[in-house]
Amino acid sequence: MACTCVVGLQWGDEAKGKIVDLLTAQHDIVVRYNGGANAGHTVVKNGRTYKLSLIPTGILAPHMQAVIGNGLVVNPVRFLEEVDALRAAGIPIDGGNLLLSDHAHVIFPYHVEEEKLGEEASAAAIGTTGRGIGPCYQDKVSRTNGIRVGELLHPAHLRERLRSIVPRKNAVFRALMPSAQQFDADALCDEYLTHAGKLKPHIHDTALFLHRALQGGKNILFEAAQGSLLDVDHGTYPFVTSSNSSTAGIWPGSGVPARHLQRVVGVIKAYTTRVGRGPFPTELTDGPDGIGERIRKTGREYGTVTGRPRRCGWFDTVAAKHSARLAGADELAVMLLDVLSVVDELRICTAYELDGKRLDEFPGDAFLLEQCRPVYETLPGWKTDIERARGPGDLPAAARRYLDRLSELLSLPVTIVSVGPDREQTVFMT
Ligand code: GDP
Ligand code: IMO
Ligand code: MG
């Protein structure tokens, strides 16, 4: 029995989806334990591109069962749209291979409106994906307003809950902005009961399902969403998401005790990207002809969910060391190394400078990180196409040196290197 987690060590979009897909052969079940449709995981295989958001990427492998754990916040409309899109792409989906936790929380349209009101009105906007993620988690923790997936199967109960919640939401929205959208509890209830009929075959006690699977010797692959630096407890708070996106979220978000985890693959981009607001010490803001823009264009660094250009910058070992420790990473998968082929000389951030003093450890607060200046070391680039590399020997010496340096600075072995989006464009280092 083996439990593995694929987790991002930066601010998301590290290409976790590609690694999950590569590891499916050794696993039976794939589990998402955090977030929702704020994630966008892309996989390219057999000449076809698949984009997954709420549904675990591992479902693309025909033998896998996929679980949406209790730690997620689920918009039924997006769930059903994604199921339809996957079916249209030839991926068979039914209640047997896609299980949805009865304890996951439900996103309603008022969550999306609530987020819009907060983000538009506030100078402290986070730059969220606008999917209602934060407000739904807020309702989960506040308890009085949260509705879980299992409750959708009880019509009279659901109607009563919505009749109590919706008028309070409406009153708050009106007070915040007179033109805010207003909602009708009964209309929402009718709509969600229709969705519930379609969700029903998928709804299970997924924690029990996973415990039985473990007893039966099944191998489980945990697929993190977002990156560890967006973790609500350990990331660059408050510019984070509302869940534990590090491995810390596995236990609460799936019900599988942490001691079952045997392998943690920390996924990093060979550089750094970030979408949305928040501190980013190694960000390249060198204009339309600069290296930042060159990386963005070559790496096609535009958000899968919102289409926003991703902010690009150099690799930051201070940040990655912090998140690798947090995640308990055993090894590193270094992604998009091919993108750095367009850069003459590479920089790696090895420390920060704050108030004239050298800082070797990551400050836990965004307002402090905002003031940190990166200390760089410089390495030569390779300036040659590496997209066709398939073994360590195919990589130029400068690329191997760059990887060795990352491994040394993070004290972890690099086991996988990705040199292109396709499944085949992968170098296994061991
Ligand atoms: P995730 O959210 O961590 O799964 O990552 P995303 O899917 O949002 O972003 C990663 C993007 O990089 C996707 O478009 C992938 O197809 C693409 N990608 C993955 N690996 C590589 C690689 O090695 N090189 C290049 N150029 N693109 C890659
Ligand atoms: P994957 O799984 C990158 C960012 C948003 C915003 C912050 C909070 O594809 O790596 P939210 O909507 O979650 O309340 O937004 O988190 N964010 C991501 N950035 N990749 C993601 O997911 C992200 N999910 C959320 O841009 O800054
Ligand atoms: Mg993504």
Side-chain angles (χ1 to χ4, degrees):
M1 183 195 74
C3 283
T4 307
C5 182
V6 171
V7 64
L9 299 185
Q10 294 159 315
W11 280 290
D13 301 326
E14 299 90 347
K16 299 174 291 292
K18 174 169 172 174
I19 296 299
V20 166
D21 180 55
L22 284 171
L23 296 183
T24 50
Q26 296 124 46
H27 296 86
D28 307 293
I29 299 168
V30 60
V31 183
R32 273 279 304 271
Y33 60 86
N34 78 297
N38 48 351
H41 299 175
T42 311
V43 171
V44 184
K45 57 201 269 186
N46 307 325
R48 209 166 172 162
T49 301
Y50 302 88
K51 290 187 185 296
L52 293 108
S53 191
L54 180 62
I55 295 176
T57 306
I59 201 161
L60 298 177
H63 70 282
M64 294 287 273
Q65 282 183 295
V67 172
I68 295 179
N70 60 278
L72 276 84
V73 285
V74 176
N75 184 332
V77 180
R78 295 211 171 266
F79 177 95
L80 294 168
E81 278 172 3
E82 209 171 322
V83 166
D84 284 347
L86 284 168
R87 282 187 182 141
I91 310 294
I93 292 186
D94 56 33
N97 74 340
L98 178 59
L99 287 76
L100 169 61
S101 169
D102 55 351
H103 287 178
H105 274 252
V106 181
I107 296 181
F108 287 89
Y110 52 73
H111 289 125
V112 178
E113 178 69 5
E114 198 169 340
E115 181 168 7
K116 208 165 95 190
L117 289 169
E119 287 280 289
E120 278 175 3
S122 167
I126 289 161
T128 64
T129 58
R131 295 287 197 246
I133 305 292
C136 187
Y137 275 120
Q138 244 167 275
D139 280 352
K140 168 181 175 170
V141 180
S142 83
R143 295 153 298 161
T144 37
N145 289 340
I147 294 182
R148 306 204 282 191
V149 167
E151 292 177 81
L152 299 179
L153 301 179
H154 299 275
H157 164 81
L158 180 67
R159 197 169 297 279
E160 194 187 315
R161 295 280 290 124
L162 284 167
R163 282 180 178 171
S164 141
I165 295 164
V166 172
R168 280 183 295 169
K169 292 277 182 194
N170 282 339
V172 173
F173 295 174
R174 259 196 321 271
L176 284 171
M177 175 119 41
S179 61
Q181 203 181 337
Q182 298 285 283
F183 297 90
D184 180 304
D186 283 321
L188 269 186
C189 184
D190 294 342
E191 185 195 332
Y192 272 62
L193 287 175
T194 311
H195 300 324
K198 296 179 191 154
L199 294 183
K200 196 173 176 193
H202 301 279
I203 301 174
H204 293 274
D205 177 343
T206 52
L208 181 61
F209 167 82
L210 291 171
H211 291 151
R212 287 188 174 148
L214 285 168
Q215 275 169 359
K218 300 281 189 201
N219 297 331
I220 300 177
L221 180 59
F222 292 96
E223 174 177 344
Q226 290 82 58
S228 299
L229 299 176
L230 289 170
D231 185 289
V232 67
D233 284 293
H234 304 287
T236 49
Y237 192 87
F239 298 100
V240 291
T241 192
S242 297
S243 66
N244 285 117
S245 47
S246 179
T247 45
I250 293 178
W251 194 341
S254 71
V256 175
R259 69 168 184 277
H260 290 291
L261 198 60
Q262 287 155 336
R263 180 181 177 197
V264 176
V265 182
V267 188
I268 51 176
K269 260 178 196 168
Y271 46 96
T272 309
T273 61
R274 175 164 204 168
V275 206
R277 294 187 56 216
F280 181 176
T282 61
E283 181 170 14
L284 281 157
T285 49
D286 47 0
D289 301 320
I291 299 173
E293 188 55 35
R294 221 183 305 159
I295 289 176
R296 183 175 302 116
K297 281 216 177 84
T298 313
R300 293 193 204 92
E301 294 293 0
Y302 297 89
T304 321
V305 175
T306 57
R308 290 178 289 178
R310 294 175 183 151
R311 300 156 65 191
C312 299
W314 298 116
F315 192 85
D316 182 343
T317 49
V318 186
K321 220 170 35 185
H322 159 83
S323 51
R325 259 194 315 249
L326 255 180
D330 297 302
E331 58 190 282
L332 299 170
V334 180
M335 314 304 286
L336 293 103
L337 188 68
D338 53 301
V339 175
L340 291 185
S341 300
V342 298
V343 183
D344 300 309
E345 204 174 55
L346 301 163
R347 286 179 162 199
I348 300 178
C349 168
T350 52
Y352 299 145
E353 214 177 82
L354 178 64
D355 294 332
K357 292 196 194 83
R358 185 188 161 97
L359 203 64
D360 291 305
E361 298 300 342
F362 195 65
D365 297 281
F367 71 95
L368 288 175
L369 191 60
E370 203 74 72
Q371 299 164 47
C372 289
R373 297 286 155 261
V375 176
Y376 288 118
E377 68 177 41
T378 304
L379 275 82
W382 44 91
K383 289 295 275 180
T384 172
D385 188 0
I386 58 168
E387 289 175 6
R388 272 176 283 280
R390 297 293 177 270
D394 299 334
L395 293 170
R400 286 207 304 275
R401 189 163 157 210
Y402 185 74
L403 294 169
D404 285 346
R405 190 66 185 130
L406 292 186
S407 169
E408 189 178 35
L409 287 163
L410 299 176
S411 307
L412 287 170
V414 173
T415 54
I416 303 173
V417 174
S418 178
V419 293
D422 201 279
R423 196 176 215 274
E424 305 301 320
Q425 293 176 296
T426 309
V427 177
F428 292 94
M429 301 298 280
T430 45

